[in-house]
Amino acid sequence: MRKLPRSFYRRDSLELAPLLLNKLLVHGSRVVRIVEVEAYRGESDPASHAYRGCTARNATMFGREGHLYVYFTYGMHWCANVVCGEKGVARAVLLRAAAPVAGLAELRAARFGSSARRPPASQRDRDLCSGPAKLAQAMGLTGEHDGADLVLGDLGVVLAADGIEPPASPGTSTRIGLSAGTEQPWRFFVTGDPNVSRR
DNA sequence: ACCGGGATGTTCT
DNA sequence: GAACATCCCGGTG
């Protein structure tokens, strides 16, 4: 398991997004393998939080590459992005889904509660991280992790590579859940992985 | 299986 | 006041 250097993040979000597939996201003892992402491209992208410039909410997106951008939405959900590009240029990749790898008990507790009873059919492993807010909830990522440096491992959050390469031909589609910028095929996913979010 | 609506509160117009 | 990079549950077929 090899932590990714700063230079890995020094690319445009469109280039970084498919490279994030099959990378490991680590938070303490919890480890997941990223299987679905979306690229966002700042000022030129009407779907991006940075489309109308830098605000208190999206400031991390304009900051240094290799940091987490975590935002709050729909009054109850957190979503996590990886900031890339160069400082001052708002580029980020939304982490949309992942496969559980380690720390399954903690992932389940964070998503479904710590009750010891047998989970119902809806509480399957593929429901742990099969969406951006589910992924953040399972991994325990909230506003306190906004701005965390993945290269330094701030707050125990790290991005790492193991033996698994990104897919040579990832699946692609338009981005999900938007009302603008819906034309660009800037969603990338590991074809056939059961943890990829469903439409 | 699919579809519709409610939850819940921050951010920006 | 509206929108929101979402999710869950309960309806119906």
Side-chain angles (χ1 to χ4, degrees), chain A residues 118-139:
Chain A
R118 181 110 172 92
S122 65
Q123 296 183 0
R124 297 160 299 188
D125 285 353
R126 71 174 58 106
D127 297 310
L128 285 172
C129 303
S130 54
K134 299 183 205 176
L135 170 54
Q137 185 183 31
M139 288 298 281

Side-chain angles (χ1 to χ4, degrees), chain A residues 32-151:
Chain A
V32 298
R33 180 173 50 85
I34 297 164
V35 299
E36 177 184 347
V37 297
E38 282 175 357
Y40 287 85
R41 297 188 77 240
E43 303 82 354
S44 62
D45 178 5
S48 171
H49 290 168
Y51 184 55
R52 296 181 212 289
C54 188
T55 66
R57 182 205 201 190
N58 63 24
T60 303
M61 244 184 113
F62 288 81
R64 194 175 188 200
E65 70 275 13
H67 290 240
L68 268 189
Y69 166 48
V70 186
Y71 67 89
F72 188 67
T73 191
Y74 287 104
M76 63 190 89
H77 297 302
W78 297 96
C79 297
N81 298 249
V82 173
V83 175
C84 58
E86 300 175 25
K87 185 171 181 178
V89 181
R91 296 284 184 275
V93 178
L94 173 67
L95 303 179
R96 280 198 58 91
V101 172
L104 269 290
E106 281 190 82
L107 294 167
R108 287 198 191 97
R111 280 274 298 138
F112 305 137
S114 50
S115 154
R117 83 184 153 74
R118 181 110 172 92
S122 65
Q123 296 183 0
R124 297 160 299 188
D125 285 353
R126 71 174 58 106
D127 297 310
L128 285 172
C129 303
S130 54
K134 299 183 205 176
L135 170 54
Q137 185 183 31
M139 288 298 281
L141 299 176
T142 67
E144 71 177 303
H145 300 95
D146 181 41
D149 191 335
L150 295 165
V151 179

Side-chain angles (χ1 to χ4, degrees), chain A residues 18 21-22 33-37 165-173 187-197:
Chain A
L21 296 176
N22 286 333
R33 180 173 50 85
I34 297 164
V35 299
E36 177 184 347
V37 297
E165 294 294 317
S169 300
T172 65
S173 82
R187 172 174 175 256
F188 302 87
F189 56 94
V190 177
T191 305
D193 191 287
N195 298 280
V196 170
S197 70

